[in-house]
Amino acid sequence: MTKKKPTILVVNDDGITAPGIKVLIEEMQKIGHVVVVAPDSPQSGMGHAITIGRPLRLDRIDLYEGVEMYKCSGTPVDCVKLAVNKIFKGRKPDVCVSGINHGLNHSINVLYSGTMSAAVEGAIEGIPSVGFSLDNFDYDADFSHCRSYLVSITKQVLANGLPKGSLLNVNFPKDEAKGIKICRQAGGHYVEEFDERVDPRDRDYYWMTGRFELEDRGEDTDSYALSKGYVAIVPTQFDMTAHHVIPELNSWGFDS
């Protein structure tokens, strides 16, 4: 009996024509039946935003041979929701993979990332999910050294599954990797600056700029692994409860 190929939902936040998603599609075709639902334009930094104030469009397109593809007018999370509800009609794909993002989603970036939020939404839907990102923001970034890892990591997820409520955040170094490190998320934050300008109508406007500051010097973090040339895999969850704080809050005596 021929074993049925797994169904793979591919999403991203850089848009359906981004080079990163093309590489991901090509590698996922080696594993199973690929269905793509991706934004019709770049949606970087959208986090877990959803569209509620305007209608969503979902159009079938034909970019790559043998691939079922749809472009969506909404956010990366909208793409996953529409895929599950309108394309799969309540059935679940065997795995959801998001990316490959042009730029890292390590440390605190995971909260802002549309790439990771699409994967998080997949996990919320009960689908084993992975977000993939590369340490290169260039449009013509070289993804060649990511290819074998995309296949091996996805195959492991298909074979083993993931614990309920969890997903994987995978970041690739810019150049050839030395291997894989299982890590925790590094502590860090952005120091924002706002470049203030004046438009032709004499109204102020702002461009957000700034820099990322790593506060965590641990050698078990995603940032450290990447700095040493390794692929960083962080098991991630969407339960944001600070469980260790509950006992302290219970001691505060709110009723007094």
Side-chain angles (χ1 to χ4, degrees), residues 104 134-135 145-146 149 171-183 219 221-233:
L104 288 177
L134 172 68
D135 186 13
H145 62 289
C146 305
Y149 290 108
N171 283 276
F172 297 104
K174 186 173 185 177
D175 301 311
E176 195 70 35
K178 297 176 181 177
I180 289 175
K181 294 287 188 183
I182 309 302
C183 312
E219 296 185 1
T221 71
D222 49 6
S223 297
Y224 184 83
L226 288 160
S227 73
K228 297 301 180 181
Y230 288 91
V231 178
I233 300 181

Side-chain angles (χ1 to χ4, degrees), residues 104-208:
L104 288 177
N105 280 311
H106 69 318
S107 186
I108 198 68
N109 292 284
V110 70
L111 292 178
Y112 305 108
S113 167
T115 298
M116 280 305 296
S117 288
V120 168
E121 186 63 27
I124 291 172
E125 292 281 358
I127 306 164
S129 299
V130 187
F132 293 105
S133 305
L134 172 68
D135 186 13
N136 193 332
F137 283 97
D138 295 341
Y139 183 81
D140 59 351
D142 180 8
F143 293 93
S144 60
H145 62 289
C146 305
R147 288 181 179 271
S148 63
Y149 290 108
L150 296 172
V151 172
S152 63
I153 292 169
T154 304
K155 281 185 173 180
Q156 285 297 312
V157 170
L158 285 165
N160 298 292
L162 289 170
K164 184 178 180 180
S166 68
L167 63 148
L168 299 184
N169 181 18
V170 180
N171 283 276
F172 297 104
K174 186 173 185 177
D175 301 311
E176 195 70 35
K178 297 176 181 177
I180 289 175
K181 294 287 188 183
I182 309 302
C183 312
R184 64 176 175 84
Q185 178 182 315
H189 73 285
Y190 278 92
V191 178
E192 279 95 7
E193 298 173 0
F194 290 88
D195 184 4
E196 182 175 348
R197 304 182 187 183
V198 180
D199 69 17
R201 296 184 178 181
D202 203 32
R203 296 181 60 189
D204 295 336
Y205 69 98
Y206 306 89
W207 281 106
M208 187 174 72

Side-chain angles (χ1 to χ4, degrees), residues 208-223:
M208 187 174 72
T209 63
R211 66 188 185 278
F212 173 72
E213 284 200 355
L214 179 65
E215 301 166 330
D216 190 334
R217 301 301 170 184
E219 296 185 1
D220 59 343
T221 71
D222 49 6
S223 297

Side-chain angles (χ1 to χ4, degrees), residues 46 48-56 73-75 77-78 81:
M46 291 298 291
H48 214 89
I50 56 174
T51 300
I52 58 174
R54 58 181 174 81
L56 290 167
S73 63
T75 69
V77 173
D78 290 331
K81 288 181 176 292

Side-chain angles (χ1 to χ4, degrees), residues 91-103:
R91 295 178 295 111
K92 300 294 174 68
D94 295 291
V95 68
C96 172
V97 292
S98 183
I100 305 168
N101 190 65
H102 294 244

Side-chain angles (χ1 to χ4, degrees), residues 1-6 31:
M1 181 181 294
T2 303
K3 187 177 181 180
K4 183 182 177 182
K5 285 188 173 182
I31 302 173

